[in-house]
Amino acid sequence: METVSLVPLEGLDDLSAQSAAIKKIEQNFSNIDSLASVTNHKISLIQQKKTIEAQIKNEVHSELEKSKKGLETLYKSYNRINKMDESFSDTVALCSETSNLIGYYQLIKKVNTVRVNLINILKEVDRLLTIPEKAAEIEQLLSDDLNLLEIHSKLRELERLHQKALKQFESNFEELEAIKEMFSSVPELSHRFENKIWNIVSNSVEIAQLKPAVLVKVAQIIEREKLYEQKQKEKKSQNSLISSDGIQEDDEIDDKSSVNGANKQNLNGSNNNNNDNNNNNNNNNNNNNNNNNNNNNNGNNYYGDEEEGYDRNRSSYGDRFLEVLTQSIAGKFEPMFLNSHNDLVQTLRDVNKMVEELFIVMDIVQECYPPSYDLFNFYVDQYHTKFYSLFGSFSNLMESSHVNNNYQVVVTKNIPSAHILMLVEWVVKNYSRDLSRLGIQDISPPLLDSLDPLIKIYKMHIKQLMREWCDNIINNDNQNKPEVVDGQYCSLAPIQLFESVASQLDIAAATKCQKLVVGVMEEVVSALMYFQVQSITLLQERNHEIKLENVIAYVNNNSKCYDHTQTIVDKVSNILDSEHMGYLDFDPVLEGFLNVSKVATQAISTVIFRDLDECIHKFYTVEWYQEDLMQPIINTFEDYMTNDIQKFILENYLKRLALLLLDTLIEQLLAQLIGGKNKFNENTYKILSNDCDKLLDFFKKYLRLSVVTAKVQILEDFKQMITSTIDMVPVYFRSVINFHKDINERVVELVLYQRTDISKSEITEVLGQIKTIVETVHTDPANPPTGIFSRMNIYQRGWFS
């Protein structure tokens, strides 16, 4: 497709203008029907063009008129300048002629200059002579702090005079010494005045309560000084930007001004004698007025124009103000840093006073200074930083003492636990409340972080204390006979233990410090687990030293301890938020108490089986065939359960004990059966059946029959392996291995070799079948199964290869 180029339009050489015109035409004539209105559009555009041309013509005419008037004014000005130049030349000529007519004109001119200088010197002398009077006046004003603004103005005036006099007489040594002697009191007054200012700043809190107006005046003085300092900086900055070319131009202008000044002086020479006195009087009046203005100014220009080159070489008042405040705050805290480790109670009283000062700063002090000073936040930041450093240094000192000395000495001598609690409670409750009253919601770093070493020491104190209590409770519990409460043996151990736990929790919770509560509960959890370990060790290793009723009490007590722990968990969850609660794990404690009850149950079983040991070792021997050995065992169980245990133990643990007795008895009987060197005969089946029946009859009183039957089934299976035909042995072995994976062919071999009715070849053939069954069950040799057979002592004798 061919590219259509733009056809140049008349009067439109710019392509962009042509494009705009074409787009306008496209908008107006986008379809064929719109072509009918071409004539109307043309007429409209022509009318618009005429209107625009008329407007442009009017604007051009108006601008031409303004330019014409400007040219006329410029022409008139040029003529007037020429006339002034001619008049000035005539005036110069006339002045020159007039001066020649006056005799001794040059001498008169010099005399006049000397007279003017003498008048000025006399004025300066008069001002210098007033210095002692002004110094005495300032000395008198210094006695009242409300005169600070007036003192400041008068003192700065003296300093200006002093500086100016030193500059004027710096070339004359004698006069310079006289000036220094005359102004000798000025530096001392300045020093005393500034010391007074900074002393007031240092004691802003105290003065604000007595004379807040004094602080306002000090703030005004500081603002004056800062304004002057700012002007001096701006002046120096401007001077440094002046280029060398600009300086040369100024020199040329000064030269021209000097020539013109000389001409003007010649011009006015004839009138100087008549007008000098009037001019001098006016100058005197102006100087006096300037001095009065300087004395009574409001601070905007109190240094005077003549002080532009005067620099007192003082440090910045703004920086000095903050420096003095910082030093004064540090001075207030210094005694607390020195005495905190000796008298924490007094230190805390002093800290409370410092917090109260923040309210004075908020209500009074900050109102006396400009808002830009932000004094309240400055004080809060400084005080908080000092509090953090004070408590942090104290905490670190106590921690280092703990590391370097015996723990008991530290707790009792250096930092009593009550003081730690008092300090933590003050930070969490009092300080936080005061910050809220001051309108401060968050401040960093948290003051409580500085007490971490103290919290650590308190945790160690709780750990030591709780362990001592646990040891005492266990010792007392074993020495005293338990009481019967609600038909059960119980001692005071759970009550005493959890009373101590609740006591420590209440003490920590009273501080409202969740970090401390978490720390205390961590040590409580550790102490409870220590209590459990000590109890288990005692029950396992020294159960023969403990009376049966005390062992039964252990079962009941630790079951109650589980309930007490749940109560403590609920109480702690109401004290701590979810975040802090997440730091604690009570599950090991709960499981630990259940484990202690379990171990205590096992200890009861150990006590009972200690009486049965001799009888059990007679099983499957000759004596077993001659007398009923199961009945004494059942009688012993009955006696213990009925008379000593059933009435005094929790019901669920009675069932657990019965189940444990049954399991233990079966395990020992199997060990005696497998590991013995017995010879089974035709009476074996009958005696084994009677033993199993007696076990069922006794234990079904405490356990479900199905449970007892399942437990006794293994004895039934071994009975069948001992008495059945040889081909049925694998069947009964499979019945055993289904529930006891740890059995193997060696167990069967030992049992079968005690039979007298089968040959070795038959045993060998059956053992092959048994081995095949074992291999199908034991698929992972690296993880052999455990159970009743793996726990038997027969494994320790090396009977199994």
Side-chain angles (χ1 to χ4, degrees), residues 497-525:
L497 179 62
F498 281 90
E499 278 183 352
S500 63
V501 170
S503 174
Q504 296 306 319
L505 176 58
D506 291 340
I507 291 172
T511 64
K512 301 297 183 182
C513 176
Q514 300 212 347
K515 182 186 290 188
L516 182 65
V517 173
V518 170
V520 168
M521 292 313 299
E522 287 175 345
E523 296 305 326
V524 165
V525 168

Side-chain angles (χ1 to χ4, degrees), residues 52 54 93 126 152 155 171 208 210 223 229 231 395 416 445 529 536 554 663 677 680 740:
I52 293 172
D126 289 339
H152 181 252
L155 189 57
S171 60
L210 301 174
E223 284 299 298
E229 292 165 4
K231 288 183 178 179
S395 299
M529 296 178 71
I536 290 174
Y554 264 101
D663 287 338
K677 297 180 180 180
F680 301 125
H740 304 278

Side-chain angles (χ1 to χ4, degrees), residues 263-419:
N263 291 335
K264 290 180 181 180
Q265 194 173 22
N266 291 331
L267 176 65
N268 296 326
S270 60
N271 299 324
N272 278 343
N273 290 331
N274 296 327
N275 297 329
D276 278 343
N277 291 330
N278 294 332
N279 290 337
N280 289 334
N281 291 334
N282 291 334
N283 288 336
N284 290 336
N285 292 333
N286 290 336
N287 288 333
N288 292 332
N289 290 335
N290 288 336
N291 290 335
N292 291 334
N293 289 336
N294 287 336
N295 290 336
N296 300 316
N297 60 56
N298 59 2
N300 293 331
N301 192 27
Y302 70 99
Y303 290 101
D305 294 336
E306 58 188 22
E307 198 191 354
E308 290 181 358
Y310 167 53
D311 186 2
R312 296 186 304 279
N313 295 322
R314 290 189 179 88
S315 60
S316 171
Y317 257 66
D319 296 339
R320 178 64 175 156
F321 173 74
L322 294 179
E323 180 184 346
V324 169
L325 274 184
T326 303
Q327 291 176 352
S328 68
I329 293 172
K332 291 180 179 180
F333 278 88
E334 185 174 355
M336 287 186 273
F337 276 94
L338 296 176
N339 299 325
S340 60
H341 63 284
N342 293 326
D343 191 350
L344 180 62
V345 177
Q346 181 59 42
T347 300
L348 207 52
R349 293 195 189 101
D350 295 338
V351 168
N352 272 319
K353 292 180 182 178
M354 301 301 287
V355 174
E356 291 173 0
E357 287 187 0
L358 292 177
F359 290 94
I360 300 174
V361 172
M362 180 179 67
D363 296 335
I364 305 176
V365 176
Q366 72 167 346
E367 300 297 329
C368 298
Y369 291 92
S372 59
Y373 285 36
D374 196 16
L375 268 192
F376 174 65
N377 287 326
F378 175 81
Y379 267 91
V380 170
D381 291 341
Q382 287 291 316
Y383 277 37
H384 180 76
T385 302
K386 294 299 181 183
F387 290 152
Y388 192 94
S389 299
L390 174 65
F391 294 156
S393 63
F394 175 76
S395 299
N396 292 328
L397 179 63
M398 294 300 101
E399 185 179 32
S400 63
S401 299
H402 165 70
V403 172
N404 295 328
N405 296 290
N406 179 268
Y407 172 77
Q408 293 289 344
V409 174
V410 173
V411 171
T412 58
K413 181 179 179 181
N414 288 346
I415 177 68
S417 58
H419 286 186

Side-chain angles (χ1 to χ4, degrees), residues 128-337:
L128 294 176
L129 291 176
T130 60
I131 290 173
E133 296 178 3
K134 292 181 178 180
E137 183 182 1
I138 292 174
E139 184 76 31
Q140 184 177 1
L141 292 173
L142 279 172
S143 60
D144 190 352
D145 292 341
L146 294 176
N147 298 324
L148 288 176
L149 279 178
E150 186 178 357
I151 295 171
H152 181 252
S153 298
K154 292 181 179 295
L155 189 57
R156 293 300 180 252
E157 180 187 359
L158 279 182
E159 289 178 341
R160 289 196 301 274
L161 290 176
H162 184 198
Q163 188 71 15
K164 185 176 181 181
L166 291 175
K167 187 174 182 180
Q168 287 178 343
F169 298 101
E170 60 184 355
S171 60
N172 191 319
F173 178 77
E174 293 182 359
E175 293 180 352
L176 185 62
E177 290 299 317
I179 290 297
K180 289 182 178 179
E181 179 67 23
M182 183 178 297
F183 284 92
S184 60
S185 61
V186 175
E188 181 184 354
L189 285 175
S190 297
H191 180 69
R192 288 173 56 191
F193 176 74
E194 290 199 358
N195 285 344
K196 191 177 191 68
I197 291 293
W198 300 131
N199 184 58
I200 292 172
V201 170
S202 299
N203 298 281
S204 294
V205 176
E206 292 79 9
I207 293 176
Q209 300 175 75
L210 301 174
K211 296 180 180 180
V214 173
L215 291 185
V216 176
K217 295 181 183 298
V218 169
Q220 290 175 326
I221 292 171
I222 293 173
E223 284 299 298
R224 284 183 177 184
E225 294 289 341
K226 288 171 64 177
L227 180 61
Y228 167 74
E229 292 165 4
Q230 182 62 30
K231 288 183 178 179
Q232 289 297 99
K233 289 179 181 178
E234 292 175 356
K235 180 180 177 183
K236 290 179 181 180
S237 177
Q238 290 174 359
N239 291 339
S240 64
L241 295 177
I242 297 176
S243 63
S244 58
D245 293 340
I247 294 174
Q248 292 176 358
E249 290 177 1
D250 290 343
D251 292 341
E252 292 174 0
I253 292 172
D254 290 341
D255 292 339
K256 292 180 181 179
S257 298
S258 299
V259 173
N260 293 335
N263 291 335
K264 290 180 181 180
Q265 194 173 22
N266 291 331
L267 176 65
N268 296 326
S270 60
N271 299 324
N272 278 343
N273 290 331
N274 296 327
N275 297 329
D276 278 343
N277 291 330
N278 294 332
N279 290 337
N280 289 334
N281 291 334
N282 291 334
N283 288 336
N284 290 336
N285 292 333
N286 290 336
N287 288 333
N288 292 332
N289 290 335
N290 288 336
N291 290 335
N292 291 334
N293 289 336
N294 287 336
N295 290 336
N296 300 316
N297 60 56
N298 59 2
N300 293 331
N301 192 27
Y302 70 99
Y303 290 101
D305 294 336
E306 58 188 22
E307 198 191 354
E308 290 181 358
Y310 167 53
D311 186 2
R312 296 186 304 279
N313 295 322
R314 290 189 179 88
S315 60
S316 171
Y317 257 66
D319 296 339
R320 178 64 175 156
F321 173 74
L322 294 179
E323 180 184 346
V324 169
L325 274 184
T326 303
Q327 291 176 352
S328 68
I329 293 172
K332 291 180 179 180
F333 278 88
E334 185 174 355
M336 287 186 273
F337 276 94

Side-chain angles (χ1 to χ4, degrees), residues 510-659:
T511 64
K512 301 297 183 182
C513 176
Q514 300 212 347
K515 182 186 290 188
L516 182 65
V517 173
V518 170
V520 168
M521 292 313 299
E522 287 175 345
E523 296 305 326
V524 165
V525 168
S526 176
L528 292 177
M529 296 178 71
Y530 171 81
F531 177 84
Q532 295 165 2
V533 171
Q534 294 300 109
S535 298
I536 290 174
T537 302
L538 181 65
L539 290 169
Q540 289 178 338
E541 299 178 1
R542 298 166 51 196
N543 54 65
H544 59 281
E545 301 176 5
I546 309 174
K547 297 178 180 179
L548 180 61
E549 55 265 29
N550 290 92
V551 179
I552 297 173
Y554 264 101
V555 176
N556 300 331
N557 287 345
N558 284 275
S559 179
K560 291 183 178 180
C561 287
Y562 183 94
D563 298 334
H564 287 308
T565 304
Q566 289 282 21
T567 303
I568 290 295
V569 172
D570 294 339
K571 186 174 181 180
V572 173
S573 63
N574 291 329
I575 297 173
L576 299 178
D577 55 33
S578 57
E579 179 183 357
H580 287 86
M581 193 65 185
Y583 297 135
L584 300 175
D585 185 9
F586 290 94
D587 290 341
V589 179
L590 295 169
E591 294 173 2
F593 282 121
L594 295 179
N595 191 40
V596 175
S597 293
K598 178 182 177 181
V599 172
T601 305
Q602 293 170 350
I604 297 174
S605 174
T606 302
V607 171
I608 296 174
F609 277 96
R610 192 180 295 122
D611 295 343
L612 300 174
D613 186 61
E614 182 179 354
C615 182
I616 291 175
H617 279 83
K618 295 179 181 180
F619 265 69
Y620 313 117
T621 64
V622 176
E623 296 180 31
W624 181 63
Y625 289 101
Q626 296 176 351
E627 56 181 296
D628 185 1
L629 296 179
M630 182 58 72
Q631 191 58 47
I633 294 176
I634 298 298
N635 292 339
T636 302
F637 285 163
E638 183 71 30
D639 181 53
Y640 271 106
M641 296 292 279
T642 304
N643 299 323
D644 299 325
I645 299 175
Q646 184 174 3
K647 296 183 295 183
F648 306 109
I649 196 171
L650 293 171
E651 182 179 358
N652 58 332
Y653 281 97
L654 178 65
K655 294 180 179 180
R656 294 180 187 181
L657 176 60
L659 184 61

